[in-house]
Amino acid sequence: MISLVEIAFYKSDKTLLDKGIRFFSKSPYSHCEIVFNREFAISASGRDGGTRIKKADQMNFDDGNKWDFYKIDLNLDIDKIYDFDRVYKGKYDFVSIVLYHMLRIPINIKNKYICSEYCFMIINEYSNNSNKKTLDTFLKLYFGNRSYKLNPSNLLLILEMSRLISRT
C-alpha cells in the first residue's frame, strides 16, 4: 500500500549532464523523481538510459544535500505505477536535452522522455480532475502545451502555482 507520494528534486552536480542541465536551466535542480513511501521511485533517467522504476536504496534519498522533497496527492497504487511504466516505456531523450534545453530548438521525439516530462505525465494522469485542469492550464499558458519543454525547476514552479505540493 502506498501511504506517501512525493516528488523529489535532485540538486547535486555529480555529472557533466547534471552540471549542464543546471547551467542551461538556471536552476538548482538537474533531475526529479516521483517517490513512493521512500521505498521506490519512477522517472526517466539519463544514467539509467530511460524510463524506469528503481528501489530507493539506490537513490541516496537520505542525503538532504542532494534532494528536496515535496508531498503530492495522487490517486494511484502500485499496479497503476507499473502499468504506467509499461505503457510509456521509453528511452531517455538526450536529443531534447541538447536541442531544446540547451540550444532552444524545439523538438519532441516520441517514446523518449526527460525526467520532468515523465513526472509531469504521471502527475497529470493520477491527479484529480480539478488538478488536471489547473496543470493543463499552466502547461498551455507557459509552455505551449508541450511537456518536453519542462525542466525540473519549471515543473516545481507549476506544481507550486497549482498548489499541488507541500514541502516535507
Side-chain angles (χ1 to χ4, degrees), residues 120-135:
F120 178 85
M121 289 168 56
I122 294 164
I123 293 165
N124 202 34
E125 179 75 20
Y126 297 110
S127 292
N128 68 41
N129 285 336
S130 63
N131 289 345
K132 281 183 188 185
K133 289 177 185 174
T134 304
L135 286 170

Side-chain angles (χ1 to χ4, degrees), residues 41-90:
I42 185 171
S43 190
S45 167
R47 287 184 183 96
D48 297 323
T51 62
R52 51 90 182 118
I53 296 172
K54 196 170 187 176
K55 289 185 177 184
D57 61 359
Q58 301 169 317
M59 303 294 294
N60 246 354
F61 285 142
D62 294 333
D63 189 342
N65 293 320
K66 292 183 179 180
W67 294 96
D68 287 336
F69 287 88
Y70 296 82
K71 185 178 179 201
I72 187 163
D73 186 27
L74 298 177
N75 180 25
L76 48 69
D77 57 35
I78 293 170
D79 290 336
K80 287 180 182 177
I81 296 162
Y82 281 99
D83 287 346
F84 186 92
D85 190 55
R86 188 172 41 257
V87 170
Y88 294 101
K89 196 70 165 165

Side-chain angles (χ1 to χ4, degrees), residues 26-53:
K26 297 173 183 67
S27 163
Y29 303 114
S30 62
H31 182 67
C32 55
E33 300 269 342
I34 304 288
V35 183
F36 307 95
N37 297 336
R38 300 238 179 147
E39 294 173 3
F40 63 100
I42 185 171
S43 190
S45 167
R47 287 184 183 96
D48 297 323
T51 62
R52 51 90 182 118
I53 296 172

Side-chain angles (χ1 to χ4, degrees), residues 100 106 108 120 135-150 154 158:
Y100 181 75
N108 186 23
F120 178 85
L135 286 170
D136 288 342
T137 299
F138 281 120
L139 183 67
K140 185 175 183 179
L141 182 64
Y142 292 103
F143 300 98
N145 230 16
R146 291 172 173 81
S147 59
Y148 72 87
K149 291 183 174 183
L150 292 171
N154 299 144
I158 284 177

